[in-house]
Amino acid sequence: MIRIGSLEAIIPWNTFRCFFLNSLNFPFPTKRPCRSFQLWSRLPARITQSLLLHSHLGENGINRLRDTKSNSILALPLLLISLIICECCRLTQLLVSLSHEPRFPSPAVHPLSRLWSGSLPSHDPSLPRLILGSKVVFFPRLTLISLQGMVSLSLEEKHFIKGGIAQDLRCDGRKRLTCRPIYVETEVIPQANGSARVRMGATDVISSVKAELGKPSSSHPDRGKVFINIDCSSTAEPAFEGRGGEELSAELSISLQRCLLGGKSGAGAGIDLSSLVITEGKLCWDLYIDGLVVSSDGNLLDALGAAIKAALSNTGIPRVQVAAGASSDEQPEVDISDEEFLQFDTSGVPVIVTLTKVGKHYIVDATSEEESQMSAAVSISVNRQGHICGITKRGGAGLDPSIILDMISVAKHVSEQLMNKLDSEIASAEAEEES
Amino acid sequence: MAGKGGTTPATYSPSPATAKKKPPHLKEDWLRPDGRGFHQCRPAFFRTGAVNAASGSAYAEFGNTKVIVSVFGPRESKKAMLYNDTGRLNCNVSLTTFATPVRGQGLDHKEYTAMLHKALEGAIIVESFPKTTVDVFALVLESSGSDLPVIISCASLALADAGIMMYDLVASVSVSCLSKNLVIDPILEEENCQDGSLMIACMPSRYEITQLTVTGEWSTPKINEGMQLCLDACAKLAKIMRLCLKEAASDSQE
């Protein structure tokens, strides 16, 4: 238990361990108490022993604990984090006592694991909490982790989001199956053959299509090639910096490929690959579709799908004249026109609808806060005929088959609206550009 | 000399470029290359304890698709990882150089790795090994269609062999759509000319789907049919997997 002036924090033993792990590189003196805090109690040796027995710290962690000998390294970061959390409270004096009995409940029933699932008993004394006068503020672990730059929500916020979804009134006033308004701009990148920028709330993505001449693969001489690559820029989120965005980028690229390129035989593809062939077996267009996440506020896959659809309908592929009379073995000579462009047929390109399951209900067009509360999400791409062109499941939790079938029928309904909205947005964006 | 007079030469000569053939499955009386019925799976073979050094391992063979999965751990999570009071799952799927018809295609399969991770994530009780990591390494010895479903099923068996707590075994089956027919557990030849595919990983006893992917164009009734087909097959597959675990357990007792 920690008391900070009139504040009282009860933090279970497991959380201490969390602090300890996070504190290994803490840039503070280990044994000297900081000016404003005083440590009034010592960690009982018993606790240290149980820590050694029960923790999964491994060799290194245990040695470090032994090295420190005093409890100050444990307590200091703890205090600091408490300080950060109650930064608004002006604290002059700190009183700390580490008197809480160490308890090691089995992990499956540990209150922190219940914290994840959201069913939080408010009377459980072992839960982390801050007491501000008569007000009890829970001390969710996520807030602590947020110091390292993850989505941070307090438990109240989580409850608010979940409760809102259950009552069909979400934080931004939408219903469960209402999308945010979509804004489409086309021709944002003049160097590309086609490009579009799509905004949905704070989610902002750009997609560009470049066409290059290439050779069809030997296994499918009658088809062009399409490459889809998504880049998550670190401007969108600090977590995407370096290799951080790689996993998400790969996941998005694969999902989009699955949704747009159809089966291996080429049937059901949103982009008609056979229309990209110039000379069978020798010359075809390679389409490079690049997506960039500029700003991320949830529902990236749907936004990227919409941006690619808009970019493709904006794409002009130069008319190609193949020089006649070349022998069959040589690569034919081509003359690429600078003026004549062929419009790309995008009537078959599907839209993607992601249904995010939060609690017992599912929602469309989730924001990143809502996504942080999801148990599972299913991305369904639907074309104009109402046929499914691809499904990807995200999130770890299992789903009942009947829920998935239900989701499919809802996605069909939502996709119809989305498709019409998108089409009118694309048309108005193109009209604006021409005027 | 041999080779004269129209007999086939004994020495190697590359066959002339094959004339373009119509895909066989478009014919009316098409039969599957291995003679199975459309809704008939390949015989499944599982064996646990394939690798001595691992905490748990399993080998699976479905026709020519051969997969070996080892599970290591739980071990201490890397220092760079943030503190987490639940366990982590680390998956990797790789193919041997000789697994594919063309040598050395995709030795490290990122797509399969991500899909395997998601398929198993929902089934493992991650609270049972806090702060530690379980490694699941899958190696495809021979790739001959339906690789990912075999990897997933085999991995869940290996996890069970390693004693990692799970809600249920994860069984996985895929169907291919070939023109009008739904073909279960497709082999490589069928996968190469499929119009669409549907893969389900599920926990049969809980009747929960942990992973689902669909490619190609599907109508809703067809999705229903495909899903039902897969779920039924998963339930049967899980029985075989359970049997294999029981056998291994009774063998070790003797």
Side-chain angles (χ1 to χ4, degrees), chain A residues 56-70:
Chain A
H56 296 268
L57 279 172
E59 285 291 304
N60 283 339
I62 291 168
N63 286 337
R64 282 190 215 202
L65 186 68
R66 278 189 195 132
D67 288 343
T68 62
K69 279 176 192 154
S70 85

Side-chain angles (χ1 to χ4, degrees), chain A residues 14 17-18 21-22 24 55-61 64 107-108 110 112-113 116 141 145 148 150 220 222 251 254 258 262-268 280 378 383 385-401 404-405 408 412, chain B residues 20 25 76-77 79 81-86 110-112 114-115 118-123 125 127-132 165 188 191-197 203 206-221 223-224 227-228 231:
Chain A
N14 260 19
R17 290 195 283 163
C18 143
L21 276 190
N22 287 341
L24 288 178
S55 80
H56 296 268
L57 279 172
E59 285 291 304
N60 283 339
R64 282 190 215 202
H110 189 270
L112 281 179
S113 62
W116 283 111
R141 214 176 41 88
I145 290 175
Q148 267 130 48
M150 282 170 72
H220 298 292
D222 56 343
E251 191 184 322
I254 288 169
R258 197 175 285 141
K264 279 208 179 126
S265 71
E280 194 176 309
V378 179
N383 66 10
Q385 284 82 43
H387 288 170
I388 311 297
C389 298
I391 298 181
T392 316
K393 184 179 168 292
R394 291 185 295 148
L399 286 175
D400 196 272
I404 289 182
L405 292 176
I408 290 173
K412 268 188 182 181
Chain B
K20 215 181 160 189
H25 65 272
E76 178 192 7
S77 288
K79 288 282 175 318
M81 299 268 194
L82 290 176
Y83 170 82
N84 201 341
D85 60 0
T86 60
K110 280 199 179 131
E111 186 186 345
Y112 282 3
M115 304 255 279
K118 267 171 224 143
L120 297 175
E121 207 183 11
I125 306 174
E127 289 85 2
S128 63
F129 46 101
K131 301 205 292 182
T132 49
M165 275 163 79
L188 201 58
E191 272 186 345
N192 284 339
C193 56
Q194 70 189 5
D195 295 329
S197 74
M203 297 186 272
R206 280 168 70 103
Y207 204 55
E208 258 183 27
I209 293 177
T210 60
Q211 178 63 290
L212 165 76
T213 54
V214 176
T215 59
E217 197 174 346
W218 295 70
S219 63
T220 316
I223 286 220
N224 282 350
M227 273 174 72
Q228 206 47 55
L231 287 169

Side-chain angles (χ1 to χ4, degrees), chain B residues 125-164:
Chain B
I125 306 174
V126 281
E127 289 85 2
S128 63
F129 46 101
K131 301 205 292 182
T132 49
T133 304
V134 167
D135 294 307
V136 178
F137 298 136
L139 179 67
V140 180
L141 298 172
E142 197 175 336
S143 155
S144 177
S146 311
D147 293 347
L148 186 62
V150 179
I151 293 168
I152 293 172
S153 310
C154 187
S156 87
L157 202 65
L159 282 166
D161 186 45
I164 306 290

Side-chain angles (χ1 to χ4, degrees), chain A residues 200 299-307 352-355 364-365 379 418:
Chain A
M200 298 164 98
N299 209 20
L300 288 176
L301 192 63
D302 298 15
L304 284 165
I352 303 169
V353 176
T354 303
L355 294 169
V364 294
D365 196 8
S379 298
L418 185 65

Side-chain angles (χ1 to χ4, degrees), chain A residues 164-185:
Chain A
I165 287 166
Q167 290 168 32
D168 204 6
L169 184 65
R170 286 153 70 182
C171 300
D172 43 10
R174 283 185 287 157
K175 282 176 175 287
R176 281 198 286 266
L177 299 181
T178 319
C179 302
R180 289 174 286 191
I182 297 184
Y183 303 100
V184 181
E185 276 174 65

Side-chain angles (χ1 to χ4, degrees), chain A residues 181-252:
Chain A
I182 297 184
Y183 303 100
V184 181
E185 276 174 65
T186 50
E187 198 91 44
V188 287
I189 301 168
Q191 295 100 315
N193 293 68
S195 58
R197 175 184 177 196
V198 165
R199 281 179 296 145
M200 298 164 98
T203 297
D204 194 337
V205 295
I206 293 178
S207 161
S208 87
V209 180
K210 281 207 181 207
E212 281 173 19
L213 283 178
K215 202 168 183 282
S217 65
S218 54
S219 54
H220 298 292
D222 56 343
R223 279 201 245 158
K225 287 174 285 182
V226 175
F227 302 91
I228 300 177
N229 181 47
I230 306 299
D231 184 24
C232 293
S233 152
S234 53
T235 54
E237 231 173 83
F240 293 161
E241 200 253 318
R243 306 192 70 187
E246 230 167 60
E247 201 175 310
L248 181 66
S249 303
E251 191 184 322
L252 290 169

Side-chain angles (χ1 to χ4, degrees), chain A residues 368-389:
Chain A
S368 52
E369 282 89 25
E370 287 164 335
E371 272 181 3
S372 70
Q373 300 306 304
M374 76 171 190
S375 59
V378 179
S379 298
I380 301 162
S381 86
V382 188
N383 66 10
R384 193 165 279 291
Q385 284 82 43
H387 288 170
I388 311 297
C389 298

